[in-house]
C-alpha cells in the first residue's frame, strides 16, 4: 500500500524544463537500441546497448503500458512496440509521465523528431520552446559577411525568441567550459567570424566551435534576460567530459552575476555535486540531474539523493532530457519520482524531516521552481 508521501509524489504534475520532441515514426529494432545510448557508435561485437541500466528500466517500467509484464524479454517488448504506431506510443507513454508543461529544446531537432507544433498535438499539457543559441547562429551564417554576422545573429535571435521561455547553449559540446570568461569585442567576433565563414565557403559544415564565437553567443543571450540553460557533464561522445565540469565556469558565473539572469546547469553527472555547490553559492545558478536519471536506471535513486546534498531546494529542477523514444519521457518521470520518494521517505522515517517538508520540497523541485524561473510563458 503506497504511503501518503509516495502517493503525493506519484500524483504530482511536473514541469519538464528541458526535453526534446518524440519520434515521428517507428524505429527499427537496431535503431531503437541506438536511441537508448548516448554513444554514437555501435555496440561492441557480441553485446547490445539494451543490456544496460536504461534497457532494463524500459522493460521494468514501460512494458506494463504496452500490455506486457515487467521484465519481459526484450524481443517481446520490441514486438509489442512495433505493433503500435508512434502516435499510439506517445498517447500511452507521454500521458503516463504526469507532465503538465514541456519546455522543448528545438535546436537539435533532426528529421526523425516531431516539430514543435507536431509535438504540441501529441503531448498532453503545455508545450513551449527553448531556443538553442548555436543553432540560430548556424542558420544565419551561410552567405553572410564577417561584418554583418553579429547583427544578423542578434536580429535572428530576437525573432526566434518571440514566444520562447528560455535559451540553451552547448558550449560544453562545442569547445568546453575552459574558455576566457570575458565578453569578446566586436572586432574579435568579426575576426573569428571571418575565419569560420571562409571554412563554410570552402565546404565545411556550419557548425560553430570557435571559442570566441561561442562566448559571443553567451553574452548576447544574456541581453534578452531569459533563463540560459547550459549542458554540463555527461553526454554524447563528441564532448571531452573533463572539460564539461561546471566548476570551470566559476569565473564566468561571477562575471555575469550582476545581470541577474538565471543560469541553469543541465544534467551535470558526474559533476552534479559541483553543480550543487555552484547553486548554493551563486544566487543566479540552478541545476538538474535529468539525463543521468534515465541512464543510471535502478541506480538513479543515488543520483537523485546526491543532488539534494548541498544546493538549496529552490535551486533544483526536474527534467527528463528525453530525445526521441517516448520511453525516455516516461522513464525520466518514473525514476525521478521513485528516487525522490526513496530519499525523502528515509529522512522522514529517521525523524530528520517532516512529511510536510518532504512534500513541499518535492513540489518545489517537480514544478514550482521552474514556474518561478521560467514564468508563465511569453505567448
Amino acid at each position: 500500500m503506497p504511503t501518503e508521501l509516495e502517493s503525493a509524489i506519484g500524483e504530482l504534475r511536473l514541469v519538464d524544463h528541458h526535453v526534446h520532441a518524440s519520434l515521428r515514426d517507428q524505429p527499427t529494432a537496431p535503431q531503437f537500441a541506438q536511441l537508448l545510448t548516448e554513444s554514437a557508435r555501435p555496440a561492441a561485437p557480441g553485446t547490445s546497448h539494451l543490456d544496460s541500466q536504461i534497457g532494463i528500466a524500459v522493460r521494468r517500467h514501460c512494458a506494463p503500458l504496452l500490455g506486457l509484464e515487467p521484465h519481459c524479454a526484450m524481443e517481446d517488448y520490441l514486438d509489442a512496440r512495433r505493433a503500435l504506431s508512434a502516435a499510439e506510443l506517445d498517447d500511452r507513454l507521454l500521458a503516463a509521465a504526469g507532465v503538465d508543461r514541456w519546455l522543448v529544446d528545438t535546436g537539435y531537432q533532426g528529421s526523425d523528431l516531431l516539430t514543435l507544433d507536431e509535438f504540441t498535438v501529441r503531448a498532453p499539457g503545455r508545450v513551449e520552446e527553448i531556443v538553442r543559441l548555436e543553432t540560430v547562429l548556424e542558420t544565419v551564417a551561410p552567405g553572410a559577411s564577417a561584418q554583418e554576422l553579429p547583427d544578423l545573429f542578434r536580429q535572428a535571435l530576437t525573432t526566434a525568441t518571440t514566444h520562447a521561455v528560455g535559451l540553451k547553449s552547448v558550449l560544453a559540446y562545442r569547445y568546453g567550459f575552459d574558455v576566457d570568461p570575458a565578453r569578446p569585442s566586436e572586432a574579435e567576433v568579426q575576426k573569428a567570424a571571418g575565419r569560420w565563414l571562409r571554412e563554410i565557403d570552402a565546404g565545411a559544415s556550419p557548425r560553430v566551435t570557435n571559442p570566441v564565437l561561442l562566448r559571443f553567443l553567451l553574452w548576447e543571450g544574456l541581453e534578452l534576460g531569459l533563463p540560459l540553460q547550459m549542458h554540463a557533464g555527461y553526454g554524447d561522445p563528441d564532448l571531452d567530459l573533463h572539460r564539461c565540469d561546471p566548476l570551470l565556469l566559476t569565473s564566468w558565473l561571477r562575471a555575469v552575476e550582476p545581470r541577474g539572469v538565471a543560469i541553469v546547469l543541465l544534467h551535470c553527472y558526474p559533476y552534479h555535486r559541483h553543480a550543487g555547490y555552484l547553486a548554493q553559492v551563486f544566487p543566479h545558478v540552478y541545476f538538474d540531474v535529468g539525463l543521468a536519471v534515465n541512464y543510471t536506471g535502478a541506480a538513479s535513486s543515488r543520483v537523485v539523493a546526491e543532488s539534494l546534498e548541498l544546493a538549496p531546494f529552490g535551486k533544483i529542477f526536474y527534467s527528463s532530457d528525453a530525445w526521441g523514444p517516448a520511453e525516455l519521457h516516461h522513464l525520466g518521470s518514473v525514476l525521478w519520482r521513485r528516487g525522490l520518494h526513496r530519499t525523502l521517505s528515509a529522512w522522514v522515517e529517521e525523524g530528520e524531516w517532516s512529511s510536510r517538508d518532504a512534500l513541499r520540497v518535492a513540489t518545489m523541485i517537480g514544478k514550482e521552481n521552474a514556474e518561478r524561473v521560467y514564468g508563465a510563458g511569453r505567448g
Side-chain angles (χ1 to χ4, degrees):
M1 187 74 174
T3 64
E4 183 178 354
L5 178 60
E6 185 177 9
S7 296
I9 292 176
E11 295 167 5
L12 182 63
R13 306 302 297 182
L14 304 178
V15 176
D16 193 339
H17 90 108
H18 181 77
V19 67
H20 304 265
S22 55
L23 293 172
R24 181 183 307 281
D25 300 307
Q26 272 277 26
T28 65
Q31 289 170 337
F32 180 71
Q34 196 65 49
L35 289 165
L36 293 190
T37 174
E38 285 294 283
S39 175
R41 295 161 172 80
T47 73
S48 169
H49 288 311
L50 298 177
D51 283 328
S52 60
Q53 285 282 9
I54 191 170
I56 291 176
V58 163
R59 292 189 287 115
R60 163 62 182 91
H61 297 287
C62 300
L65 296 175
L66 274 59
L68 301 170
E69 291 296 319
H71 308 300
C72 64
M74 182 56 77
E75 292 79 7
D76 294 338
Y77 184 85
L78 293 173
D79 286 343
R81 196 181 198 285
R82 279 192 295 269
L84 300 172
S85 69
E88 289 171 324
L89 286 166
D90 282 356
D91 285 344
R92 298 187 187 199
L93 294 164
L94 297 182
V99 173
D100 276 346
R101 189 178 180 193
W102 313 80
L103 306 189
V104 180
D105 174 4
T106 55
Y108 185 54
Q109 196 72 13
S111 60
D112 293 338
L113 296 194
L114 298 173
T115 65
L116 189 69
D117 288 342
E118 291 169 333
F119 188 66
T120 298
V121 174
R122 292 261 189 102
R126 185 174 183 177
V127 175
E128 294 161 294
E129 185 175 16
I130 301 292
V131 171
R132 189 178 292 203
L133 294 169
E134 292 80 7
T135 301
V136 175
L137 183 65
E138 290 161 358
T139 299
V140 300
S145 71
Q147 289 69 36
E148 65 187 3
L149 185 61
D151 281 338
L152 284 175
F153 168 76
R154 295 180 182 110
Q155 294 163 12
L157 184 63
T158 298
T159 300
T161 55
T162 301
H163 300 295
V165 295
L167 301 172
K168 164 83 179 291
S169 168
V170 286
L171 170 65
Y173 279 94
R174 299 302 180 81
Y175 186 82
F177 289 150
D178 48 344
V179 293
D180 183 343
R183 183 171 194 160
S185 68
E186 197 80 357
E188 288 177 296
V189 172
Q190 290 182 5
K191 183 178 179 180
R195 290 195 299 270
W196 182 46
L197 294 172
R198 286 192 293 272
E199 293 171 359
I200 295 174
D201 290 341
S205 170
R207 185 176 188 271
V208 58
T209 59
N210 183 286
V212 173
L213 296 178
L214 293 168
R215 288 162 49 212
F216 163 73
L217 298 182
L218 292 182
W219 284 95
E220 290 298 325
L222 293 172
E223 297 294 335
L224 298 183
L226 293 171
L228 174 57
Q229 301 178 349
M230 301 184 70
H231 177 101
Y234 167 69
D236 297 337
D238 58 343
L239 55 73
D240 293 326
L241 186 58
H242 67 286
R243 300 174 67 189
C244 302
D245 184 340
L247 290 182
L248 295 171
L249 287 172
T250 302
S251 294
W252 181 79
L253 291 171
R254 289 195 188 103
V256 305
E257 180 180 356
R259 294 173 174 267
V261 175
I263 307 299
V264 187
L265 302 170
L266 301 175
H267 320 320
C268 305
Y269 182 88
Y271 305 117
H272 46 294
R273 283 171 160 151
H274 296 181
Y277 157 76
L278 293 170
Q280 184 187 79
V281 300
F282 289 112
H284 61 308
V285 176
Y286 302 78
F287 83 109
D288 72 34
V289 289
L291 181 64
V293 170
N294 267 341
Y295 282 96
T296 52
S300 61
S301 294
R302 290 197 296 271
V303 178
V304 173
E306 288 164 0
S307 74
L308 302 176
E309 289 176 351
L310 199 61
F313 304 124
K315 309 295 288 299
I316 309 171
F317 293 155
Y318 164 74
S319 84
S320 67
D321 193 34
W323 191 100
E327 283 88 347
L328 301 180
H329 299 77
H330 176 56
L331 274 182
S333 167
V334 169
L335 295 175
W336 178 81
R337 293 177 198 269
R338 188 197 62 174
L340 197 67
H341 170 255
R342 287 181 176 178
T343 302
L344 298 183
S345 63
W347 295 343
V348 171
E349 290 168 7
E350 293 164 2
E352 298 296 332
W353 281 43
S354 69
S355 294
R356 181 179 62 254
D357 280 336
L359 180 57
R360 182 172 61 88
V361 168
T363 305
M364 290 167 64
I365 299 173
K367 66 175 184 177
E368 289 179 350
N369 294 339
E371 290 172 341
R372 183 181 69 253
V373 171
Y374 293 96
R378 300 182 65 193

